[in-house]
Amino acid sequence: MNIARYAIDKPVNTWIIILACLLGGLWGLATVGRLEDPAFTVKQAIVVTQYPGATATEVEDEVTEVLESAIQQLSQLKKITSKSMPGYSEIQVEIKDKYNSETMPQVWDELRRKVGDARSSLPEGVGAPVVNDDFGDVFGMFYAVTANGFSDEEKRDIAHYLRRELLTVPGVAKVSTAGEPEETIYVEVSNKQLIGLGIPVSEVLKTIQSENAVTSAGSIRVDDQRIRVSMQSSFDSVEAIQALRVGLPGSTEQISLTDIATISREPTETPSQFIRFNGESAFTLAVAGVSDANIVEVGQAVDARFAELEDRIPLGVKISPVYEQHKVVDTAINDFILNLAISVVIVIGVLCLFMGWRMSLVVGVTLLLTVMGTVFFMGIFNIEMERISLGALIIAMGMLVDNAIVIAEGMLINVQKGMSAREAASDSAARTQFPLLGATFIGIMAFAGIGLSPDATGEFLFSLFAVIGISLTLSWILAITVTPLMGHYLLKPQVGDATMYSGRFYGVYRRFLQRALKASGLTVVVLVVLTGLSFYGFGFVKQAFFPSSNTPMFYVNYLLPQGVDINATKRDAEEIEKIILGKEGVESVATFVGRGATRFMLTYQPEQPNSAYTQFIVTMTDRKLIDPLAADLRRIISEQYPSAEVRTDRLVFGPGGGAKIEARFSGEDSEELRRLAQKAMDVMHGSSSVIDIRQDWRQKELTITPRVSSARTLQAGVSRTDVAETLAFATTGVRAGTYREGDRLIPIVARPPVDERLNANRLRERLVWSATSQVYVPITQVVTSFDTVPEEVLVRRLNRARTLTVQANPADGLTTPQGLEGIKASVEAIPLKPGYHLEWGGEYESSRDAQASLGSQLPLTMVIMLVISVLLFGRVKQPLIIWLVVPMALVGVAAGLLISGLPFSFTALLGLLSLSGMLMKNAIVLVDEIDMQISEDITPGDAIVEASVSRLRPVFLAAATTILGMLPLLGDAFFASMAVTIMGGLAFATVLTMVAVPVLYKLIFGIK
């Protein structure tokens, strides 16, 4: 079947293909969704359960253990982690990789059923477990709103107004606010007055709760209608609360609440979070787009709405971007398209120099149509235009152009032999179309392991496999249809030229090859030695998983000792904020005290609530300034705040996050786990290869524990609950009810005045109401002592086993494997008691799991590639030659990475796969050409030389265009390692193909 002849004889059909690719590509450019990075499913949910008054150990035993036992029954479960704290259980559920975004809702429904069924097994006093499966939502447009001079109520109104307005923007799915000023209605009751009047605290609480309760008053039938009787809340203002009357026990007398209490509406004394921006108090506004919307268009619509609201927003309110994904995406993709265009221009320019303008135009048109056609199919298959999918086009560039170059080279040679353009095109395509098809599918299959990998890394990189598959298939179709047609139009018949391979370029190669063939044994020895040296040298190449992001932003994480009041954390945060803002190159600082920010990018992992935690999101003018500034801040902050943990983190591409180095100790006894962790931390502190050393159980907290005598409580008519309520009232206060104001719910808290509640020594002076005797009794009558003891307040478990993790990051200038290598042996040498285990997590685990997932697919893809190569030739020796040269490509890869100093990252692995595909394609076409010339009765020795010489220019041009086309990627942090891998590997692979393949062919076939 001669497809090329059909394409020339039926040009209308070929032109339909051309127009479809061209116009479809323009349609794709206008409609394909745009993202910064490809989305991947967050297969995690959090189960949160409140257990007020319980210690961390009680929460672990009575709540976490029960829920984990139920959750473990899920067949979809991959991993379960938990943390138990006083009064609070948090379980993180991770689902197996094989479940995708379409099946996750059913998985979460089953999780809710399991948790719901386990609720009956929880002790009394435990709140309903809450399953949160949407914390993975990404709010890519993230703003800080400052309003200096405005009251807290006005700030809340502004937040409500902005949220309401942005929800009306087309394409906006969710708008979340955080950090608005919190307020509470405080009912401050003097303990002395309660005692003097003989009123128990419970009576005050009951009065407030009953008057504010929402209850049904029934309905009544009037004629044929049923009319509902509605009881309105008695609280419509603070004054209404003040007007409440409290009954005196044992009498019908009542007194006004204001006679015994001071009632005020004021900012919450201990809020859950503080947010600041550039040194000013702020709240955040986070906007998420609809999942299938073009984020650039949604972001532009949000910007337009802000512009419309400018005149309606009060003067003095400033909306500042923390992160604007749509602008990052637009800039990144425009830059990438520019790099792609530069690569195409470089390819055409090189071809023009070596093949003339006619053939460069033929190949250039084919290349342009391949790219446009790929964009067309990206639109059809809903593949977004993002870093990975666009990078796939450049990765495939060498293979894309190679198909057209092989056909064009054959056409040019045939025309120089005197054939007509039609016959030249037909003959060239007919000779190489099936070898090129096989080589193209082998190139596609080299990336199939990534496309078939079910984990988050595979999902993140799926568009790479999809785009490479589409583009390479299109390149073959267009190479055997459009390239012959364009050649038919542009090439002119020439008088036969018998010296077309007689130039100096060919002559030098011919003589070199003949000498290599004569000394074939020595040549193979040299190649094997070089390959061996490259494997040895590869051991000195730095290793990495995913590189740091191009975004000029980093995090400073600040943790005070566990249990520190959030107001103290805020005080430190304000001071540190000034230090950061005073540094050169800092554009903005967003400060989050008490918890992390809203998830504004997919790879960001927000810190869960912790009063001792602060995160500074620092935006720089240039990402090159991040590393030196981060090191400087770690030093300065650590010196000024020695009791705090300080670490900095860069934004990273792809899945991952958290500490890069983790040593996980598992076992039963918390003291033994802490001992093992301390030994591991001592090892790390003694090494210069790691920094940011900490452990995730944090410090124990001091706890005041009242020792209650059961005998005395029975005698006094007091319960343990009465004692607990008395102490709660005397310290933080007791929730008495909720004040409803529109859609806002404001807590009402009863507590003593400040002089009575902030002195721990006065706890002994408290009196407890005895319901039996109807009098107050001294708390010391039922409490023998108040002991201050350190207590575990953060118990973490992994797969239901207590697990304490020692965490660190590699020192500046080192990769994670280098940092880990400096401490791994010493940590593993720590003796472990029976029942205790050590395993490594962090980037080591993520990289291992990703490579294992990729490796699980590789055997199948390798078998398919091997079968294709055997089917192409119908024999075994030719595929053997092709597969023998693949490992030798590592010579150039190792040299390139060692010289550049770049690490062998996951993207470099992709480059190695691409390189193997290009190398095998060149080898297949060369071996096929040798076979063909031998079949034409040319002596085998001459056939090897002549076939190699005839393939010299297309192999050289394919390599040169690919190497030069990679130049724009050297400045991209994500693709730099991959570009060096392909450039270095291909430079040597060109020599490899043109020398190793002929020599191996001679030896394996026994040609003299």
Side-chain angles (χ1 to χ4, degrees):
M1 183 174 76
N2 197 320
I3 301 174
R5 178 168 294 177
Y6 176 83
I8 295 172
D9 293 343
K10 304 288 185 180
V12 173
N13 296 341
T14 308
W15 275 103
I16 290 175
I17 295 175
I18 293 172
L19 291 174
C21 289
L22 189 61
L23 298 178
L26 293 174
W27 168 80
L29 286 172
T31 60
V32 169
R34 297 188 172 199
L35 295 173
E36 180 182 10
D37 293 306
F40 57 90
T41 306
V42 178
K43 302 172 186 177
Q44 296 173 337
I46 289 180
V47 182
V48 174
T49 312
Q50 304 285 346
Y51 189 8
T55 65
T57 304
E58 290 171 339
V59 169
E60 178 192 18
D61 294 337
E62 300 175 27
V63 178
T64 304
E65 171 63 27
V66 173
L67 293 177
E68 284 183 343
S69 298
I71 294 169
Q72 190 175 353
Q73 300 170 26
L74 283 173
S75 60
Q76 305 94 333
L77 184 66
K78 177 183 178 181
K79 184 170 68 174
I80 183 169
T81 57
S82 66
K83 60 180 180 182
S84 301
M85 297 179 289
Y88 179 85
S89 167
E90 180 182 297
I91 302 172
Q92 190 168 97
V93 181
E94 186 174 346
I95 302 303
K96 291 176 182 176
D97 295 327
K98 66 180 181 180
Y99 296 96
N100 57 31
S101 57
E102 295 178 358
T103 58
M104 290 309 296
Q106 289 78 22
V107 175
W108 299 141
D109 286 343
E110 187 173 347
L111 172 64
R112 285 187 172 87
R113 288 196 296 272
K114 295 291 185 185
V115 171
D117 292 344
R119 185 178 177 185
S120 61
S121 302
L122 297 176
E124 186 179 351
V126 176
V130 177
V131 179
N132 178 12
D133 61 8
D134 63 355
F135 76 102
D137 290 347
V138 178
F139 296 81
M141 288 148 282
F142 192 41
Y143 305 91
V145 182
T146 54
N148 281 343
F150 289 79
S151 67
D152 288 351
E153 184 175 357
E154 288 171 331
K155 290 178 181 178
R156 288 189 289 269
D157 290 341
I158 291 168
H160 184 271
Y161 172 73
L162 290 174
R163 181 178 182 275
R164 186 187 65 206
E165 289 296 322
L166 290 180
L167 280 171
T168 64
V169 176
V172 169
K174 295 181 181 180
V175 179
S176 173
T177 59
E180 305 105 304
E182 301 174 31
E183 64 176 342
T184 301
I185 294 176
Y186 289 109
V187 180
E188 295 194 342
V189 187
S190 171
N191 200 50
K192 292 180 181 179
Q193 288 181 298
L194 289 176
I195 295 169
L197 294 170
I199 302 174
V201 174
S202 58
E203 184 67 24
V204 177
L205 299 178
K206 185 172 68 175
T207 300
I208 296 173
Q209 290 166 354
S210 62
E211 289 295 322
N212 195 40
V214 177
T215 56
S216 172
S219 62
I220 188 170
R221 179 174 177 176
V222 178
D223 296 330
D224 290 337
Q225 286 188 317
R226 181 159 292 279
I227 300 175
R228 187 173 64 88
V229 180
S230 175
M231 290 291 295
Q232 299 297 316
S233 169
S234 64
F235 294 166
D236 56 7
S237 65
V238 172
E239 290 73 18
I241 302 174
Q242 292 173 337
L244 287 177
R245 303 189 68 79
V246 182
L248 297 177
S251 73
T252 58
E253 291 184 46
Q254 294 180 334
I255 61 171
S256 173
L257 186 59
T258 55
D259 291 337
I260 59 172
T262 301
I263 302 164
S264 61
R265 179 173 174 173
E266 57 188 79
T268 301
E269 186 174 79
T270 309
S272 60
Q273 184 181 29
F274 291 106
I275 296 177
R276 299 172 58 80
F277 186 78
N278 285 348
E280 299 179 2
S281 178
F283 63 88
T284 57
L285 198 63
V287 183
V290 176
S291 59
D292 59 350
N294 186 323
I295 194 64
V296 174
E297 294 176 356
V298 175
Q300 291 170 347
V302 169
D303 288 343
R305 179 56 55 90
F306 276 139
E308 292 172 9
L309 297 175
E310 191 170 347
D311 294 336
R312 286 184 270 171
I313 297 174
L315 191 65
V317 176
K318 186 177 180 182
I319 302 173
S320 305
V322 177
Y323 186 78
E324 293 180 294
Q325 187 185 40
H326 61 290
K327 292 184 178 178
V328 174
V329 169
D330 200 34
T331 301
I333 290 181
N334 288 338
D335 290 346
F336 218 91
I337 290 175
L338 177 62
N339 287 342
L340 186 62
I342 292 172
S343 297
V344 172
V345 169
I346 289 173
V347 168
I348 295 174
V350 171
L351 293 174
C352 191
L353 286 175
F354 289 93
M355 298 183 73
W357 71 269
R358 294 178 187 273
M359 292 315 298
S360 67
L361 184 59
V362 169
V363 176
V365 167
T366 306
L367 182 58
L368 176 63
L369 291 174
T370 302
V371 173
M372 296 296 284
T374 301
V375 175
F376 175 41
F377 281 101
M378 287 172 63
I380 292 175
F381 296 123
N382 293 319
I383 300 173
E384 286 90 358
M385 195 178 290
E386 25 79 3
R387 186 187 315 275
I388 302 300
S389 59
L390 288 176
L393 286 173
I394 294 186
I395 292 174
M397 187 70 72
M399 290 181 281
L400 293 182
V401 74
D402 200 24
N403 283 332
I405 287 177
V406 170
I407 301 293
E409 169 75 8
M411 291 167 56
L412 185 62
I413 296 303
N414 287 340
V415 166
Q416 290 175 349
K417 289 179 179 178
M419 289 186 184
S420 67
R422 178 175 177 276
E423 291 300 320
S426 174
D427 178 74
S428 175
R431 287 169 64 94
T432 56
Q433 61 186 10
F434 291 114
L436 288 177
L437 177 62
T440 297
F441 277 117
I442 286 175
I444 294 172
M445 292 309 299
F447 292 89
I450 295 167
L452 298 175
S453 181
D455 64 350
T457 303
E459 189 177 1
F460 183 76
L461 295 170
F462 175 77
S463 61
L464 180 89
F465 168 68
V467 171
I468 284 179
I470 292 169
S471 60
L472 288 185
T473 303
L474 266 178
S475 75
W476 180 80
I477 294 172
L478 295 176
I480 62 171
T481 54
V482 175
T483 301
L485 182 63
M486 293 295 106
H488 172 67
Y489 290 154
L490 294 175
L491 292 179
K492 303 299 180 185
Q494 300 178 16
V495 178
D497 184 4
T499 61
M500 52 192 158
Y501 293 129
S502 60
R504 183 177 178 183
F505 178 64
Y506 293 107
V508 171
Y509 169 68
R510 188 190 303 271
R511 289 191 296 271
F512 180 80
L513 180 59
Q514 288 171 342
R515 291 173 183 171
L517 289 169
K518 286 181 181 179
S520 54
L522 178 61
T523 304
V524 169
V525 169
V526 171
L527 290 171
V528 170
V529 169
L530 285 174
T531 304
L533 288 174
S534 70
F535 276 95
Y536 173 75
F538 206 78
F540 298 96
V541 174
K542 294 186 289 186
Q543 305 291 310
F545 188 33
F546 278 103
S548 297
S549 172
N550 288 324
T551 305
M553 180 183 287
F554 73 105
Y555 312 125
V556 179
N557 299 289
Y558 178 83
L559 283 100
L560 286 168
Q562 196 70 13
V564 168
D565 185 80
I566 192 171
N567 292 287
T569 310
K570 177 194 175 191
R571 181 193 62 226
D572 287 1
E574 291 174 353
E575 297 169 356
I576 295 170
E577 195 176 51
K578 293 177 183 177
I579 296 173
I580 300 174
L581 285 169
K583 295 297 181 179
E584 184 179 354
V586 174
E587 191 172 281
S588 66
V589 179
T591 306
F592 299 86
V593 181
R595 65 184 305 165
T598 306
R599 187 188 289 264
F600 61 91
M601 58 193 309
L602 194 58
T603 55
Y604 175 74
Q605 295 182 340
E607 181 77 12
Q608 295 302 305
N610 183 349
S611 62
Y613 176 78
T614 301
Q615 183 175 68
F616 304 91
I617 300 179
V618 185
T619 303
M620 304 294 294
T621 55
D622 187 345
R623 67 182 175 90
K624 295 179 181 177
L625 300 174
I626 291 178
D627 288 338
L629 177 59
D632 190 34
L633 289 175
R634 285 197 303 271
R635 178 185 58 80
I636 293 173
I637 299 172
S638 296
E639 289 175 355
Q640 296 189 18
Y641 303 89
S643 64
E645 293 178 9
V646 183
R647 67 179 190 274
T648 58
D649 293 315
R650 290 284 301 269
L651 277 68
V652 295
F653 292 113
K660 294 185 177 181
I661 298 172
E662 291 185 344
R664 293 199 290 251
F665 293 96
S666 299
E668 184 60 31
D669 183 61
S670 60
E671 292 301 324
E672 178 63 16
L673 290 176
R674 284 188 175 275
R675 188 188 69 81
L676 293 172
Q678 188 57 52
K679 283 185 172 295
M681 292 175 70
D682 290 342
V683 169
M684 294 181 181
H685 281 298
S687 171
S688 60
S689 65
V690 294
I691 57 174
D692 301 339
I693 301 161
R694 70 270 189 196
Q695 50 93 349
D696 66 350
W697 280 34
R698 310 287 329 282
Q699 302 87 357
K700 290 183 178 181
E701 282 187 24
L702 286 178
T703 305
I704 298 174
T705 304
R707 305 297 180 186
V708 181
S709 170
S710 299
R712 293 185 181 184
T713 55
L714 287 172
Q715 186 178 6
V718 174
S719 68
R720 297 176 71 89
T721 302
D722 294 331
V723 175
E725 187 178 85
T726 299
L727 293 173
F729 173 75
T731 52
T732 56
V734 179
R735 180 77 173 260
T738 302
Y739 176 71
R740 291 177 293 279
E741 186 176 69
D743 61 351
R744 295 186 59 232
L745 301 177
I746 303 172
I748 303 172
V749 174
R751 65 181 186 179
V754 63
D755 60 329
E756 294 185 21
R757 71 174 186 274
L758 296 184
N759 188 343
N761 293 324
R762 298 196 64 176
L763 290 178
R764 296 176 177 274
E765 302 172 8
R766 291 292 157 191
L767 282 79
V768 185
W769 177 259
S770 171
T772 303
S773 305
Q774 291 289 293
V775 296
Y776 277 99
V777 298
I779 197 170
T780 53
Q781 186 174 320
V782 294
V783 176
T784 58
S785 65
F786 288 89
D787 298 337
T788 302
V789 295
E791 184 181 278
E792 294 286 2
V793 293
L794 183 56
V795 179
R796 294 183 184 269
R797 292 155 57 113
L798 172 63
N799 293 329
R800 300 187 63 196
R802 282 187 169 184
T803 303
L804 192 156
T805 304
V806 179
Q807 301 171 319
N809 288 321
D812 295 332
L814 298 181
T815 62
T816 299
Q818 289 174 321
L820 180 60
E821 185 181 356
I823 52 98
K824 191 169 186 283
S826 299
V827 172
E828 290 178 345
I830 297 173
L832 301 176
K833 292 181 179 180
Y836 291 82
H837 307 282
L838 165 66
E839 65 176 357
W840 294 98
E843 193 173 291
Y844 171 84
E845 182 181 48
S846 300
S847 178
R848 182 196 64 199
D849 291 348
Q851 291 176 10
S853 181
L854 175 62
S856 67
Q857 310 299 326
L858 279 180
L860 176 62
T861 58
M862 295 295 284
V863 168
I864 293 174
M865 293 167 69
L866 182 61
V867 169
I868 292 174
S869 61
V870 172
L871 290 176
L872 271 176
F873 297 98
R875 284 169 284 183
V876 176
K877 289 185 178 181
Q878 286 88 341
L880 179 61
I881 296 168
I882 293 163
W883 284 93
L884 281 174
V885 300
V886 172
M888 299 180 187
L890 200 63
V891 176
V893 175
L897 292 175
L898 286 171
I899 292 171
S900 65
L902 291 171
F904 185 75
S905 62
F906 200 85
T907 55
L909 175 61
L910 303 181
L912 189 59
L913 293 176
S914 174
L915 178 64
S916 66
M918 287 183 273
L919 181 58
M920 291 184 72
K921 174 179 278 191
N922 287 333
I924 286 170
V925 176
L926 176 52
V927 170
D928 182 72
E929 182 67 24
I930 295 173
D931 285 347
M932 196 171 294
Q933 294 213 16
I934 291 175
S935 68
E936 294 173 355
D937 295 330
I938 300 176
T939 59
D942 292 340
I944 291 175
V945 175
E946 294 307 318
S948 301
V949 170
S950 69
R951 283 293 299 152
L952 179 61
R953 181 163 61 179
V955 170
F956 171 78
L957 287 177
T961 52
T962 302
I963 291 171
L964 294 174
M966 289 287 159
L967 288 176
L969 290 184
L970 291 176
D972 189 295
F974 187 73
F975 285 112
S977 292
M978 184 205 70
V980 169
T981 298
I982 293 178
M983 293 170 74
L986 198 56
F988 184 78
T990 303
V991 177
L992 191 68
T993 303
M994 303 312 297
V995 176
V997 171
V999 170
L1000 288 173
Y1001 194 101
K1002 176 192 173 185
L1003 291 174
I1004 290 175
F1005 280 92
I1007 297 172
K1008 301 298 182 183

